[in-house]
């Protein structure tokens, strides 16, 4: 019995619509462009072979992000990851394509550096919420956690990011009259 694959048109639309989101999420998890590309390809191969009936574009997006998150977790648990020394900081490679200037710009940004210091559980909710624009209920479904857990992780991530991006002690900020509400993030 032959496998039933999705149509080329469906796959092209999914790739055009959500390819960037899948790659960015994988890059956020792995911190390595090559590994992120592998995981993104694997996610789209899973979509190609999947028999899930989707209820619209948002369902496809959520499914792809869920698969990507799971592939990233599998990657971190793999024997390959444990045995091979990788470059976590995405330093430019001599043989890398010229078109990767956007990746270079992203990895040199102070927010990217601050995000790298967050634990993976906090980093993934920040990425899904602020970069991909997913509401907390959707993130909860993607990560298989309760919505309250997502909100708690977002709160903790914002607090840790604030401390990393503004190293001035909180008490000093409050003495100067800069409250949390007036502080731009």
């Amino acid at each position: 019995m032959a496998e039933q694959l999705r149509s080329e048109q469906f796959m092209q639309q999914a790739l055009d619509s959500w390819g960037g989101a899948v790659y960015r999420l994988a890059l956020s998890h792995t911190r390595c462009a090559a590994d992120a590309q592998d995981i993104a390809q694997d996610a789209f191969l899973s979509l190609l072979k999947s028999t899930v009936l989707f209820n619209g574009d948002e369902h496809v997006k959520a499914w792809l992000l869920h698969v990507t998150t799971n592939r990233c977790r599998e990657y971190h648990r793999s024997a390959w990851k444990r045995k091979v020394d990788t470059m976590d900081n995405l330093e430019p490679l001599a043989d890398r394509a010229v078109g990767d200037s956007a990746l270079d710009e992203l990895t040199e940004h102070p927010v990217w550096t601050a995000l790298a210091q967050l634990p993976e559980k906090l980093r993934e909710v920040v990425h899904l919420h602020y970069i991909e624009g997913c509401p907390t209920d959707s993130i909860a479904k993607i990560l298989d956690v309760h919505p309250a857990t997502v909100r708690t992780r977002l709160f903790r991530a914002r607090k840790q990011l604030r401390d990393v991006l503004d190293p001035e002690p909180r008490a000093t900020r409050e003495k100067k009259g800069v409250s949390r509400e007036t502080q731009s993030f």
Side-chain angles (χ1 to χ4, degrees), residues 102-145:
L103 183 62
D104 291 338
E105 187 177 319
L106 171 70
T107 59
E108 293 170 2
H109 197 279
V111 175
W112 177 265
T113 306
L115 281 171
Q117 296 177 27
L118 292 178
E120 183 178 338
K121 288 181 177 185
L122 299 182
R123 191 171 59 237
E124 69 189 356
V125 295
V126 167
H127 180 87
L128 289 170
H129 187 70
Y130 290 108
I131 297 174
E132 303 307 332
C134 296
T136 55
D137 291 340
S138 295
I139 297 170
K141 289 177 184 173
I142 291 168
L143 300 177
D144 290 328
V145 296

Side-chain angles (χ1 to χ4, degrees), residues 40-114:
Q41 286 178 350
D42 191 37
F44 279 99
L45 278 173
S46 296
L47 178 64
L48 178 67
K49 296 176 182 178
S50 169
T51 58
V52 174
L53 298 175
F54 295 105
N55 298 328
D57 287 344
E58 286 301 313
H59 188 199
V60 176
K61 177 184 178 184
W63 188 90
L64 278 168
L65 294 177
H66 181 78
V67 168
T68 303
T69 300
N70 286 340
R71 294 297 184 270
C72 290
R73 289 176 181 164
E74 290 168 6
Y75 167 76
H76 287 299
R77 287 190 307 256
S78 72
W80 174 259
K81 173 70 173 155
R82 287 191 308 262
K83 303 260 188 231
V84 174
D85 185 25
T86 61
M87 294 179 1
D88 287 338
N89 60 359
L90 290 172
E91 290 179 12
L93 301 173
D95 60 344
R96 208 161 78 191
V98 176
D100 288 343
S101 63
L103 183 62
D104 291 338
E105 187 177 319
L106 171 70
T107 59
E108 293 170 2
H109 197 279
V111 175
W112 177 265
T113 306

